[in-house]
Amino acid sequence: MKRLWVRHIREALHTGFADHIDMSDYTQASDSVREKSFLSRSLAALAVQRFTELSAAEAAATVVDGTGDNGIDAIAIDALQRRVILVQSKWDGSGDGSLGLGDSRNFTAGFKDLLDTKFDRFNARLRAQEAKITEALDDVNVTFILVVATTGRTELAAPSSAVFSDLLDEMNESQQVVSMETLGLSDFHSFISEGLGGSRIDFNVQLENWGTVSEPYEAYYGVVTAASVANWYEHFGDRLFSQNIRKALGNTSVNEAVTHTILKDPQHFWYFNNGVTALCESVKKTARGAASRTFGDFSLTGVSIVNGAQTVASIHQAAHKGEAGLNEAMVWVRFISLEGCPDGFATAVTRATNTQNTVETRDFVSLDPEQGRLCTELVLSLKKTYSIKRGEPVPSPEHGCTVVDATVALACANREPSFTVMAKSRMGSLWESAEKPYRTLFNPTVGPYRVWRCVEVMREVDATLTRLKGQLDGRPRSICLQGNRLVLHLVFRELDLQRIEDPEYDWPSELKRVPMLTEKSLTALTNSIDEAYPNNYLTSLFKNITKCRDLVQKVRSGTEGIDQGTDGK
């Protein structure tokens, strides 16, 4: 069976990618060598398609395999989901192989070089994407998926597995940044089968407290146990989301919250979660329970979940961490029958259920009277506009700021570095609670001058770092970009903030010091990182509260006169 599946995949790769994979560097190679390279590159492109909506030609363009690839065979930037997919692929004709220890080390080393923007260590194919990759790396919320793609075994040998485990432990020590997927023979065979009409999903479901909508199109709704939902994903995986605009996104903060609720607070899950919407070729009510709406059995054919993919995947993840809450947690579900629906209706439902505006933590902040007070005082005291709600016009820099600007600036001005880390990596956490940290930043003692002057410092630091960025490359440049908020915090610690609320204070003179202090802080921070954390991944370093607090202490202990006349609260 393995060799048969390998042959199926080989034929599918030739059919899908023969006209798209660049093989210009193998013109002098033997047919067997060229064929193996083509299959490995095509497999990398197919793996990219597994995580994106790219066409065959677009996926083939992500392949960077070749001399000097530094362990990375394909790299795709998913700007919409703010993630980077990196692939290492190995074609195995036996169906039994796996990724070796050397290849595992090369892959992780290449990933580290990429994070440090050491593009000189990569070939021309990857460097051609340098601008897009750099832009993605500059995004503090970007996540990474490392994909091992092979036509062999899914399970890695213990030494290779340990290489990736060590990487994930370091990168994800403070929050989820990197995830790993291993795609083997069975995964790829299932994937190509989906394109041959073999992906229809049929199953039966029991709905509790069910109801129905008959006009204009038939649909049924009710609740099911989380255990049932986990079972769907266990059997069908991401095939459940064949018509969705996105597949499961891995370990995002939202998904982690879903999993936490299932495990720790299952009785409230229905209240906290929006549930699942699925399109079906048909929905049939069976005879069982026909006289009652308490329970009803339904036969579903051609099921595709178009909204709630993250809920389903998170429930499945919770199932692997413990089954205690799965039977207690209830999930709201809708099954829409496409029988009798007009052409295009399925697409319209998919688009509509995935593009409705979501409520963000910022929206709740707008209800706080303190924000209204600051808005009024900024206008009356400084003639500055303060934009609080999403959708409001954003004032030009000289005429005002937003609540986002104010939150980041005030957080970095606080003496506690943990606020700076949150401003960099988990912005929403600064708004989530009515107590700490939100009340530390926004309370009756915080006036308009403090808000506006802190924002001015932030903008001056950002402008200086933008200028310095053009003079740097490699790891120092990455520190300049990813450590920008910690630099801002260090600058605030050197400024005299005791009189920041005083309208008569000679603030312009203090502000003039900021560019010099920014350069000084960046240099000191870079030196401290090189000394204390030379091998740390910068992406995760600046999200680690303990290490950032340590860096601040090291920088300040090595700088004379920092504490003279500072308050920084």
Side-chain angles (χ1 to χ4, degrees):
M1 181 64 73
K2 289 181 180 179
R3 291 191 178 275
L4 178 62
W5 281 11
V6 168
R7 188 169 76 246
H8 289 165
I9 296 171
R10 178 189 291 112
E11 292 171 354
L13 294 179
H14 274 285
T15 300
F17 295 103
D19 297 331
H20 305 300
I21 295 295
D22 181 5
M23 296 298 297
S24 59
D25 52 336
Y26 276 83
T27 54
Q28 303 300 318
S30 65
D31 290 344
S32 61
V33 171
R34 179 182 173 87
E35 169 71 358
K36 186 172 183 180
S37 177
F38 167 79
L39 293 172
S40 181
R41 291 178 180 182
S42 298
L43 197 68
L46 187 61
V48 167
Q49 285 190 301
R50 169 65 177 74
F51 295 93
T52 67
E53 303 297 325
L54 297 181
S55 66
E58 292 168 332
T62 70
V63 175
V64 296
D65 172 66
T67 303
D69 61 30
N70 202 5
I72 297 175
D73 294 329
I75 179 169
I77 312 297
D78 186 348
L80 181 63
Q81 303 300 335
R82 303 172 80 174
R83 60 183 183 174
V84 180
I85 298 97
L86 302 103
V87 183
Q88 184 172 84
S89 62
K90 293 296 174 186
W91 175 263
D92 178 70
S94 70
D96 244 344
S98 185
L99 194 70
L101 178 60
D103 289 327
S104 301
R105 287 173 173 168
N106 289 341
F107 191 19
T108 55
F111 177 50
K112 179 178 180 180
D113 286 341
L114 192 77
L115 294 180
D116 287 342
T117 62
K118 295 179 179 178
F119 291 105
D120 59 307
R121 299 188 178 184
F122 293 92
N123 60 23
R125 284 176 169 158
L126 187 139
R127 290 201 303 272
Q129 301 187 52
E130 181 175 341
K132 289 196 303 181
I133 294 170
T134 301
E135 183 180 358
L137 294 177
D138 290 351
D139 182 358
V140 67
N141 293 311
V142 72
T143 59
F144 303 88
I145 303 177
L146 303 184
V147 183
V148 173
T150 175
T151 48
R153 290 176 280 112
T154 303
E155 301 80 14
L156 297 178
S160 295
S161 181
V163 170
F164 290 105
S165 294
D166 290 345
L167 170 71
L168 296 178
D169 287 344
E170 182 177 352
M171 287 295 296
N172 300 328
E173 58 186 345
S174 55
Q175 69 181 91
Q176 190 78 24
V177 177
V178 181
S179 60
M180 181 190 171
E181 297 281 351
T182 304
L183 303 179
L185 179 63
S186 60
D187 299 297
F188 281 111
H189 194 266
S190 296
F191 190 35
I192 65 172
S193 296
E194 292 181 20
L196 302 175
S199 61
R200 196 182 85 165
I201 293 175
D202 305 335
F203 59 84
N204 294 331
V205 64
Q206 183 180 82
L207 296 182
E208 183 176 343
N209 296 318
W210 65 275
T212 182
V213 174
S214 57
E215 296 294 338
Y217 314 116
E218 187 178 52
Y220 294 86
Y221 57 86
V223 295
V224 298
T225 64
S228 296
V229 175
N231 189 53
W232 301 345
Y233 194 83
E234 185 69 27
H235 279 82
F236 304 111
D238 279 357
R239 290 175 55 211
L240 282 166
F241 317 130
S242 61
Q243 294 187 49
N244 203 331
I245 63 173
R246 61 177 69 90
K247 298 178 175 67
L249 303 181
N251 290 319
T252 66
S253 59
V254 174
N255 292 3
E256 290 174 357
V258 171
T259 301
H260 181 269
T261 301
I262 293 246
L263 297 175
K264 303 298 183 181
D265 199 13
Q267 70 274 17
H268 290 152
F269 186 80
W270 184 90
Y271 300 93
F272 293 171
N273 186 267
N274 291 329
V276 173
T277 299
L279 300 178
C280 307
E281 292 178 14
S282 68
V283 182
K284 303 297 182 185
K285 174 75 173 65
T286 67
R288 182 182 176 189
S292 170
R293 291 294 179 95
T294 303
F295 291 97
D297 286 350
F298 297 84
S299 176
L300 313 176
T301 61
V303 182
S304 177
I305 292 174
V306 295
N307 187 256
Q310 313 318 313
T311 293
V312 174
S314 299
I315 290 173
H316 179 257
Q317 182 182 23
H320 287 275
K321 295 183 177 181
E323 300 182 357
L326 291 177
N327 288 314
E328 187 177 355
M330 305 304 293
V331 184
W332 169 259
V333 295
R334 295 191 302 166
F335 296 108
I336 301 172
S337 174
L338 295 177
E339 289 185 309
C341 293
D343 292 341
F345 182 72
T347 301
V349 172
T350 302
R351 182 180 297 112
T353 55
N354 282 281
T355 56
Q356 293 173 3
N357 292 332
T358 57
V359 177
E360 297 181 357
T361 49
R362 174 181 174 178
D363 299 318
F364 294 107
V365 168
S366 66
L367 303 176
D368 180 20
E370 292 296 338
Q371 297 295 339
R373 174 185 62 80
L374 285 172
C375 184
T376 300
E377 292 182 357
L378 276 162
V379 172
L380 296 178
S381 300
L382 293 161
K383 304 296 187 291
K384 303 298 181 184
T385 301
Y386 186 50
S387 175
I388 304 172
K389 296 181 179 180
R390 286 192 298 159
E392 289 182 341
V394 176
S396 60
E398 65 271 20
H399 292 135
C401 64
T402 68
V403 68
V404 176
D405 298 327
T407 303
V408 173
L410 292 173
C412 293
N414 191 276
R415 293 180 66 88
E416 172 49 57
S418 63
F419 282 55
T420 298
V421 175
M422 285 188 280
K424 178 69 178 178
S425 61
R426 301 189 302 277
M427 182 70 180
S429 63
L430 293 172
W431 294 323
E432 284 176 353
S433 174
E435 302 304 322
K436 286 187 176 181
Y438 177 74
R439 280 296 169 224
T440 303
L441 303 182
F442 295 100
N443 58 68
T445 68
V446 177
Y449 285 93
R450 181 177 187 82
V451 170
W452 180 247
R453 288 170 173 174
C454 284
V455 169
E456 284 187 307
V457 173
M458 179 179 70
R459 289 172 173 171
E460 194 65 45
V461 169
D462 287 348
T464 304
L465 291 177
T466 298
R467 175 175 56 82
L468 294 174
K469 179 181 67 174
Q471 305 169 14
L472 302 169
D473 55 21
R475 195 168 171 87
R477 181 181 183 278
S478 296
I479 294 173
C480 181
L481 288 169
Q482 299 184 41
N484 62 334
R485 294 308 174 220
L486 202 59
V487 171
L488 175 58
H489 175 78
L490 291 168
V491 170
F492 272 122
R493 295 289 289 266
E494 293 217 38
L495 292 174
D496 181 2
L497 303 182
Q498 289 185 350
R499 297 180 58 195
I500 196 169
E501 290 280 18
D502 183 359
E504 304 303 321
Y505 178 45
D506 184 12
W507 179 250
S509 296
E510 191 71 2
L511 194 62
K512 287 180 181 179
R513 301 176 57 214
V514 171
M516 176 272 295
L517 292 176
T518 301
E519 293 194 47
K520 175 182 174 183
S521 298
L522 176 61
T523 300
L525 178 61
T526 301
N527 291 338
S528 295
I529 290 173
D530 288 343
E531 177 184 342
Y533 304 105
N535 298 315
N536 263 74
Y537 296 96
L538 296 177
T539 303
S540 58
L541 176 63
F542 292 115
K543 297 179 180 181
N544 185 294
I545 292 174
T546 301
K547 292 181 178 179
C548 285
R549 188 180 286 127
D550 178 55
L551 284 170
V552 170
Q553 184 177 1
K554 289 181 182 301
V555 169
R556 288 178 54 73
S557 65
T559 306
E560 295 182 0
I562 289 180
D563 290 319
Q564 294 179 4
T566 62
D567 183 5
K569 256 185 156 182

